[in-house]
PDB file of all heavy atoms in Angstrom:
ATOM      1  N   ASN A  66      93.546 112.040  94.971  1.00  0.00           N
ATOM      2  CA  ASN A  66      92.372 111.227  94.640  1.00  0.00           C
ATOM      3  C   ASN A  66      91.070 111.793  95.218  1.00  0.00           C
ATOM      4  O   ASN A  66      89.984 111.442  94.753  1.00  0.00           O
ATOM      5  CB  ASN A  66      92.546 109.791  95.147  1.00  0.00           C
ATOM      6  CG  ASN A  66      93.540 108.988  94.337  1.00  0.00           C
ATOM      7  OD1 ASN A  66      94.133 108.027  94.843  1.00  0.00           O
ATOM      8  ND2 ASN A  66      93.757 109.371  93.079  1.00  0.00           N
ATOM      9  N   TRP A  67      91.189 112.693  96.195  1.00  0.00           N
ATOM     10  CA  TRP A  67      89.975 113.318  96.749  1.00  0.00           C
ATOM     11  C   TRP A  67      89.241 114.152  95.695  1.00  0.00           C
ATOM     12  O   TRP A  67      88.053 114.431  95.833  1.00  0.00           O
ATOM     13  CB  TRP A  67      90.323 114.202  97.948  1.00  0.00           C
ATOM     14  CG  TRP A  67      90.735 113.465  99.186  1.00  0.00           C
ATOM     15  CD1 TRP A  67      91.969 113.457  99.775  1.00  0.00           C
ATOM     16  CD2 TRP A  67      89.917 112.618 100.012  1.00  0.00           C
ATOM     17  NE1 TRP A  67      91.975 112.654 100.898  1.00  0.00           N
ATOM     18  CE2 TRP A  67      90.725 112.130 101.064  1.00  0.00           C
ATOM     19  CE3 TRP A  67      88.573 112.218  99.954  1.00  0.00           C
ATOM     20  CZ2 TRP A  67      90.235 111.278 102.046  1.00  0.00           C
ATOM     21  CZ3 TRP A  67      88.086 111.364 100.943  1.00  0.00           C
ATOM     22  CH2 TRP A  67      88.914 110.903 101.972  1.00  0.00           C
ATOM     23  N   SER A  68      89.958 114.550  94.649  1.00  0.00           N
ATOM     24  CA  SER A  68      89.356 115.388  93.616  1.00  0.00           C
ATOM     25  C   SER A  68      88.606 114.573  92.557  1.00  0.00           C
ATOM     26  O   SER A  68      88.035 115.142  91.629  1.00  0.00           O
ATOM     27  CB  SER A  68      90.424 116.240  92.926  1.00  0.00           C
ATOM     28  OG  SER A  68      91.382 115.424  92.271  1.00  0.00           O
ATOM     29  N   ARG A  69      88.593 113.258  92.697  1.00  0.00           N
ATOM     30  CA  ARG A  69      87.844 112.418  91.759  1.00  0.00           C
ATOM     31  C   ARG A  69      86.337 112.614  91.968  1.00  0.00           C
ATOM     32  O   ARG A  69      85.914 113.171  92.976  1.00  0.00           O
ATOM     33  CB  ARG A  69      88.217 110.939  91.963  1.00  0.00           C
ATOM     34  CG  ARG A  69      89.627 110.615  91.467  1.00  0.00           C
ATOM     35  CD  ARG A  69      89.906 109.138  91.497  1.00  0.00           C
ATOM     36  NE  ARG A  69      91.208 108.831  90.906  1.00  0.00           N
ATOM     37  CZ  ARG A  69      91.673 107.602  90.709  1.00  0.00           C
ATOM     38  NH1 ARG A  69      90.939 106.569  91.059  1.00  0.00           N
ATOM     39  NH2 ARG A  69      92.852 107.414  90.169  1.00  0.00           N
ATOM     40  N   PRO A  70      85.508 112.127  91.025  1.00  0.00           N
ATOM     41  CA  PRO A  70      84.054 112.264  91.184  1.00  0.00           C
ATOM     42  C   PRO A  70      83.594 111.764  92.547  1.00  0.00           C
ATOM     43  O   PRO A  70      84.073 110.726  93.035  1.00  0.00           O
ATOM     44  CB  PRO A  70      83.499 111.407  90.049  1.00  0.00           C
ATOM     45  CG  PRO A  70      84.566 111.461  89.002  1.00  0.00           C
ATOM     46  CD  PRO A  70      85.868 111.463  89.755  1.00  0.00           C
ATOM     47  N   ALA A  71      82.660 112.475  93.158  1.00  0.00           N
ATOM     48  CA  ALA A  71      82.207 112.173  94.523  1.00  0.00           C
ATOM     49  C   ALA A  71      81.720 110.725  94.665  1.00  0.00           C
ATOM     50  O   ALA A  71      81.997 110.065  95.675  1.00  0.00           O
ATOM     51  CB  ALA A  71      81.102 113.141  94.920  1.00  0.00           C
ATOM     52  N   LYS A  72      81.019 110.223  93.643  1.00  0.00           N
ATOM     53  CA  LYS A  72      80.509 108.850  93.717  1.00  0.00           C
ATOM     54  C   LYS A  72      81.637 107.830  93.795  1.00  0.00           C
ATOM     55  O   LYS A  72      81.549 106.839  94.523  1.00  0.00           O
ATOM     56  CB  LYS A  72      79.613 108.559  92.505  1.00  0.00           C
ATOM     57  CG  LYS A  72      78.246 109.233  92.551  1.00  0.00           C
ATOM     58  CD  LYS A  72      77.381 108.771  91.388  1.00  0.00           C
ATOM     59  CE  LYS A  72      75.997 109.397  91.458  1.00  0.00           C
ATOM     60  NZ  LYS A  72      75.133 108.966  90.322  1.00  0.00           N
ATOM     61  N   GLU A  73      82.713 108.085  93.035  1.00  0.00           N
ATOM     62  CA  GLU A  73      83.835 107.152  93.047  1.00  0.00           C
ATOM     63  C   GLU A  73      84.555 107.201  94.381  1.00  0.00           C
ATOM     64  O   GLU A  73      84.938 106.156  94.924  1.00  0.00           O
ATOM     65  CB  GLU A  73      84.824 107.477  91.913  1.00  0.00           C
ATOM     66  CG  GLU A  73      85.982 106.494  91.853  1.00  0.00           C
ATOM     67  CD  GLU A  73      86.916 106.723  90.674  1.00  0.00           C
ATOM     68  OE1 GLU A  73      86.582 107.542  89.812  1.00  0.00           O
ATOM     69  OE2 GLU A  73      87.977 106.071  90.623  1.00  0.00           O
ATOM     70  N   VAL A  74      84.740 108.391  94.936  1.00  0.00           N
ATOM     71  CA  VAL A  74      85.395 108.531  96.237  1.00  0.00           C
ATOM     72  C   VAL A  74      84.591 107.825  97.316  1.00  0.00           C
ATOM     73  O   VAL A  74      85.144 107.094  98.147  1.00  0.00           O
ATOM     74  CB  VAL A  74      85.600 110.024  96.598  1.00  0.00           C
ATOM     75  CG1 VAL A  74      86.096 110.154  98.039  1.00  0.00           C
ATOM     76  CG2 VAL A  74      86.586 110.682  95.638  1.00  0.00           C
ATOM     77  N   THR A  75      83.272 108.028  97.299  1.00  0.00           N
ATOM     78  CA  THR A  75      82.405 107.374  98.283  1.00  0.00           C
ATOM     79  C   THR A  75      82.499 105.859  98.159  1.00  0.00           C
ATOM     80  O   THR A  75      82.588 105.143  99.167  1.00  0.00           O
ATOM     81  CB  THR A  75      80.939 107.811  98.079  1.00  0.00           C
ATOM     82  OG1 THR A  75      80.847 109.227  98.265  1.00  0.00           O
ATOM     83  CG2 THR A  75      80.025 107.112  99.076  1.00  0.00           C
ATOM     84  N   ALA A  76      82.500 105.367  96.921  1.00  0.00           N
ATOM     85  CA  ALA A  76      82.604 103.927  96.694  1.00  0.00           C
ATOM     86  C   ALA A  76      83.949 103.392  97.185  1.00  0.00           C
ATOM     87  O   ALA A  76      84.025 102.307  97.774  1.00  0.00           O
ATOM     88  CB  ALA A  76      82.423 103.626  95.202  1.00  0.00           C
ATOM     89  N   LEU A  77      85.012 104.161  96.956  1.00  0.00           N
ATOM     90  CA  LEU A  77      86.341 103.754  97.404  1.00  0.00           C
ATOM     91  C   LEU A  77      86.427 103.691  98.921  1.00  0.00           C
ATOM     92  O   LEU A  77      87.020 102.769  99.484  1.00  0.00           O
ATOM     93  CB  LEU A  77      87.402 104.729  96.857  1.00  0.00           C
ATOM     94  CG  LEU A  77      87.824 104.517  95.404  1.00  0.00           C
ATOM     95  CD1 LEU A  77      88.631 105.712  94.913  1.00  0.00           C
ATOM     96  CD2 LEU A  77      88.632 103.238  95.266  1.00  0.00           C
ATOM     97  N   MET A  78      85.854 104.674  99.594  1.00  0.00           N
ATOM     98  CA  MET A  78      85.870 104.685 101.051  1.00  0.00           C
ATOM     99  C   MET A  78      85.056 103.526 101.628  1.00  0.00           C
ATOM    100  O   MET A  78      85.445 102.900 102.623  1.00  0.00           O
ATOM    101  CB  MET A  78      85.338 106.021 101.578  1.00  0.00           C
ATOM    102  CG  MET A  78      86.259 107.208 101.321  1.00  0.00           C
ATOM    103  SD  MET A  78      87.892 107.027 102.111  1.00  0.00           S
ATOM    104  CE  MET A  78      88.946 106.734 100.666  1.00  0.00           C
ATOM    105  N   THR A  79      83.917 103.234 100.991  1.00  0.00           N
ATOM    106  CA  THR A  79      83.094 102.097 101.427  1.00  0.00           C
ATOM    107  C   THR A  79      83.856 100.796 101.233  1.00  0.00           C
ATOM    108  O   THR A  79      83.845  99.900 102.101  1.00  0.00           O
ATOM    109  CB  THR A  79      81.779 102.045 100.616  1.00  0.00           C
ATOM    110  OG1 THR A  79      81.062 103.276 100.803  1.00  0.00           O
ATOM    111  CG2 THR A  79      80.903 100.881 101.071  1.00  0.00           C
ATOM    112  N   LEU A  80      84.539 100.682 100.099  1.00  0.00           N
ATOM    113  CA  LEU A  80      85.351  99.493  99.808  1.00  0.00           C
ATOM    114  C   LEU A  80      86.499  99.369 100.790  1.00  0.00           C
ATOM    115  O   LEU A  80      86.846  98.272 101.232  1.00  0.00           O
ATOM    116  CB  LEU A  80      85.884  99.577  98.373  1.00  0.00           C
ATOM    117  CG  LEU A  80      86.711  98.387  97.868  1.00  0.00           C
ATOM    118  CD1 LEU A  80      85.893  97.114  97.904  1.00  0.00           C
ATOM    119  CD2 LEU A  80      87.222  98.666  96.459  1.00  0.00           C
ATOM    120  N   LEU A  81      87.087 100.498 101.168  1.00  0.00           N
ATOM    121  CA  LEU A  81      88.188 100.492 102.128  1.00  0.00           C
ATOM    122  C   LEU A  81      87.729  99.928 103.463  1.00  0.00           C
ATOM    123  O   LEU A  81      88.401  99.065 104.041  1.00  0.00           O
ATOM    124  CB  LEU A  81      88.714 101.929 102.314  1.00  0.00           C
ATOM    125  CG  LEU A  81      89.781 102.122 103.405  1.00  0.00           C
ATOM    126  CD1 LEU A  81      91.050 101.355 103.050  1.00  0.00           C
ATOM    127  CD2 LEU A  81      90.091 103.615 103.572  1.00  0.00           C
ATOM    128  N   VAL A  82      86.588 100.393 103.929  1.00  0.00           N
ATOM    129  CA  VAL A  82      86.052  99.928 105.218  1.00  0.00           C
ATOM    130  C   VAL A  82      85.780  98.426 105.188  1.00  0.00           C
ATOM    131  O   VAL A  82      86.196  97.682 106.080  1.00  0.00           O
ATOM    132  CB  VAL A  82      84.753 100.694 105.577  1.00  0.00           C
ATOM    133  CG1 VAL A  82      84.073 100.049 106.784  1.00  0.00           C
ATOM    134  CG2 VAL A  82      85.066 102.154 105.878  1.00  0.00           C
ATOM    135  N   SER A  83      85.089  97.972 104.139  1.00  0.00           N
ATOM    136  CA  SER A  83      84.744  96.548 104.055  1.00  0.00           C
ATOM    137  C   SER A  83      85.976  95.669 103.875  1.00  0.00           C
ATOM    138  O   SER A  83      86.061  94.580 104.451  1.00  0.00           O
ATOM    139  CB  SER A  83      83.758  96.313 102.911  1.00  0.00           C
ATOM    140  OG  SER A  83      84.330  96.636 101.649  1.00  0.00           O
ATOM    141  N   SER A  84      86.953  96.161 103.106  1.00  0.00           N
ATOM    142  CA  SER A  84      88.160  95.371 102.849  1.00  0.00           C
ATOM    143  C   SER A  84      88.997  95.205 104.118  1.00  0.00           C
ATOM    144  O   SER A  84      89.488  94.109 104.410  1.00  0.00           O
ATOM    145  CB  SER A  84      89.008  96.035 101.760  1.00  0.00           C
ATOM    146  OG  SER A  84      88.305  96.060 100.538  1.00  0.00           O
ATOM    147  N   ILE A  85      89.152  96.290 104.858  1.00  0.00           N
ATOM    148  CA  ILE A  85      89.920  96.212 106.109  1.00  0.00           C
ATOM    149  C   ILE A  85      89.245  95.225 107.064  1.00  0.00           C
ATOM    150  O   ILE A  85      89.905  94.394 107.690  1.00  0.00           O
ATOM    151  CB  ILE A  85      90.046  97.598 106.764  1.00  0.00           C
ATOM    152  CG1 ILE A  85      90.949  98.499 105.915  1.00  0.00           C
ATOM    153  CG2 ILE A  85      90.611  97.487 108.181  1.00  0.00           C
ATOM    154  CD1 ILE A  85      91.014  99.941 106.379  1.00  0.00           C
TER     155      ILE A  85
END
Side-chain angles (χ1 to χ4, degrees):
N66 287 155
W67 289 113
S68 62
R69 288 188 175 185
K72 286 186 178 180
E73 182 175 352
V74 172
T75 299
L77 280 168
M78 291 299 109
T79 302
L80 182 60
L81 174 64
V82 170
S83 63
S84 297
I85 291 173

